Amino acid sequence: ELPANASVQELMNALLDSPKKGEIYKLLLGNNLIDMMASSLSDTGIEYDSVLTLVVQRQRCWDGLLLGANTHVTIATSGGSMFASRLGHGFQGALLVGSHSVRAFRLRILETGGSWSGALEVGFTACNPRMLPQPVPGDALALPQHFLMDSTGTFTANYGGSNSSQDIVSSGHNWSQRLCSGDVLRVSIETSAGDGRTMFIVEANEQVKVKASIDVVQDVFLYPVVNLYGKTTSVELLDD
């Protein structure tokens, strides 16, 4: 039991043993939202026998994303699916940077085509999106502190000791050009519990296509990056 002068935050601490990253928690008293910053339960109208409803809202890593000059994003009215496409007749300038830190995300290829060489670039930047120059660069490789699969389907980085020579999976030059509508990519940075090595991994339809050893500590915030480059013209953005 908590006294009436306990804060709402103390109540939340008692309810949640381990809050999950990326989730926002709110309380309903009847049909009314509780002031989560209230200094006491009595101030909110909560009494001994009150029935409360816990509301959990999950933040998507793509909410509030930064867009390149040639990027167009639409959100479906039903289900909230998010779609991104490249505008114009060029092959670049359609960069997206997520505003929430994650270490894994997925996307689905929707449209490909054109006579361009190369395909989408995907990965992460350790630079907080709020610190990026405006407008954002037209090319993912221009982002600071990045880990990326570039337009040729190979790993590249400009962070710490990571560099493009550390690819340990060879999928062939420009394999990403063969990605088709419906293909799903998963991009992640994972640390092995065994040897402690950290890997940058890109999977296409659950098959590892890029895997590289990188040097980044666990508590560094990383933000998702997608560049609709070359033959890739539109995608559906997914959380992991």
Side-chain angles (χ1 to χ4, degrees), residues 35 60 81 176 182 189 198 226 231:
D35 178 6
R60 298 183 299 183
S81 296
S176 54
I189 288 181
T198 300
V226 174
K231 292 187 178 298

Side-chain angles (χ1 to χ4, degrees), residues 116-190:
W116 308 113
S117 62
L120 81 170
E121 300 171 327
V122 292
F124 302 89
T125 176
C127 181
N128 189 307
R130 291 189 294 272
M131 304 300 293
L132 290 174
Q134 297 295 322
V136 295
D139 187 339
L141 296 179
L143 290 171
Q145 303 179 71
H146 65 244
F147 304 97
L148 293 170
M149 179 189 81
D150 66 16
S151 62
T152 68
T154 56
F155 172 73
T156 186
N158 69 350
Y159 181 96
S162 303
N163 59 65
S164 57
S165 67
Q166 292 178 289
D167 258 325
I168 56 177
V169 170
S170 178
S171 299
H173 186 68
N174 272 348
W175 67 268
S176 54
Q177 288 189 157
R178 299 188 292 275
L179 290 167
C180 300
S181 176
D183 288 340
V184 175
L185 267 62
R186 183 177 187 267
V187 187
S188 63
I189 288 181
E190 302 179 12

Side-chain angles (χ1 to χ4, degrees), residues 53 63 92 143-144 201:
T53 303
D63 290 341
Q92 61 178 355
L143 290 171
I201 301 171

Side-chain angles (χ1 to χ4, degrees), residues 9-89:
Q9 185 58 55
E10 288 177 287
L11 174 61
M12 295 303 296
N13 292 341
L15 289 173
L16 302 170
D17 290 332
S18 54
K20 293 182 179 179
K21 183 179 178 180
E23 290 186 345
I24 299 173
Y25 302 97
K26 298 179 181 180
L27 289 172
L28 284 175
L29 178 58
N31 294 322
N32 299 317
L33 276 174
I34 294 297
D35 178 6
M36 302 302 291
M37 303 302 294
S39 59
S40 72
L41 300 180
S42 59
D43 287 346
T44 66
I46 297 175
E47 300 177 345
Y48 176 77
D49 58 351
S50 294
V51 176
L52 302 175
T53 303
L54 178 65
V55 179
V56 181
Q57 179 183 358
R58 181 164 179 78
Q59 289 181 318
R60 298 183 299 183
C61 66
W62 299 111
D63 290 341
L65 51 74
L66 298 182
L67 304 178
N70 297 330
T71 316
H72 178 66
V73 170
T74 58
I75 301 175
T77 55
S78 176
S81 296
M82 187 175 291
F83 306 95
S85 57
R86 187 175 71 231
L87 301 175
H89 302 291

